[in-house]
Each structure stands twice: as C-alpha cells, then as structure tokens.
C-alpha cells in the first residue's frame, strides 16, 4: 500500500466527506470536483479511511467516461491495503467514447 499524499486543498475535501460518512451512516454522498483537481486520489483516500473503519464495506465508484474508469482501476487499488484490492469494475455503456 502506498501512503496517499493529498494536496493542501484535497485533504479538507476528503475529511469533509469522511466526517459526513461518520455522522450519516445511512447516507451515500456524491462528490463533484473540477477537472484536474485529483478526484481519483481523493476517492482513494476516502476509500482507504472507510475500509479502515468499516472493513466489510462495499464501495461503488462510477464514471461515464471509459478513460476515467481505467484511471480509477489502475490507481485506486495500489493505494489500498492488500486485502482490499479486490476490485471489480465493469464498464457498461450504450455508446462508445
């Protein structure tokens, strides 16, 4: 597992989402960040924190863009504990991009 190094503006976003999860366990937040903001790293950090607190949690990461799905597939598992690397990504699309 690689330690996730967040940028100064990413850490508060990750903390905000994770704290929301802690206080609203029955909710499922959606996070939208601008292009180039490092969404994949933020997602990986949130997933890592979540699995540390709830190891049996199932997590679904969605994207409508094939390149982003592949980026997430190639990046997120490397940043998680070995036991959490069982990722299944399926790209279902009506249109090819």
């Amino acid at each position: 597992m690689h330690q996730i190094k967040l940028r100064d503006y990413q850490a508060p976003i990750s903390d905000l989402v994770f704290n929301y999860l802690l206080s609203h366990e029955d909710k499922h937040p959606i996070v939208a960040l601008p292009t180039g903001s490092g969404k994949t790293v933020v997602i990986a950090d949130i997933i890592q924190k979540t699995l540390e607190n709830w190891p049996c949690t199932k997590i679904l990461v969605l994207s409508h863009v094939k390149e982003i799905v592949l980026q997430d597939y190639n990046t997120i598992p490397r940043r998680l504990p070995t036991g959490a690397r069982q990722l299944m990504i399926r790209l279902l699309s009506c249109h090819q991009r």
Side-chain angles (χ1 to χ4, degrees):
M1 174 177 71
H2 294 86
Q3 182 61 30
I4 298 173
K5 177 83 167 112
L6 298 177
R7 296 179 184 144
D8 291 341
Y9 63 88
Q10 293 170 324
I13 296 166
S14 176
D15 291 343
L16 183 67
V17 173
F18 185 71
N19 289 331
Y20 180 87
L21 290 170
L22 284 174
S23 60
H24 300 88
E25 291 187 27
D26 59 330
K27 302 291 183 186
H28 309 285
I30 295 175
V31 180
L33 299 171
T35 301
S37 62
K39 290 180 281 294
T40 300
V41 176
V42 173
I43 291 167
D45 188 59
I46 294 166
I47 291 172
Q48 180 180 348
K49 290 175 187 175
T50 301
L51 293 175
E52 287 170 358
N53 285 272
W54 302 286
C56 295
T57 296
K58 294 179 182 178
I59 297 170
L60 177 64
V61 178
L62 298 173
S63 177
H64 68 290
V65 179
K66 180 180 178 181
E67 291 78 13
I68 300 300
V69 171
L70 294 174
Q71 176 181 310
D72 290 348
Y73 178 79
N74 289 320
T75 303
I76 294 172
R78 292 192 330 245
R79 298 178 180 272
L80 300 178
T82 303
R85 291 185 186 178
Q86 296 179 14
L87 262 192
M88 184 174 117
I89 295 180
R90 179 174 286 182
L91 177 63
L92 299 175
S93 176
C94 297
H95 306 283
Q96 294 296 320
R97 286 190 171 226

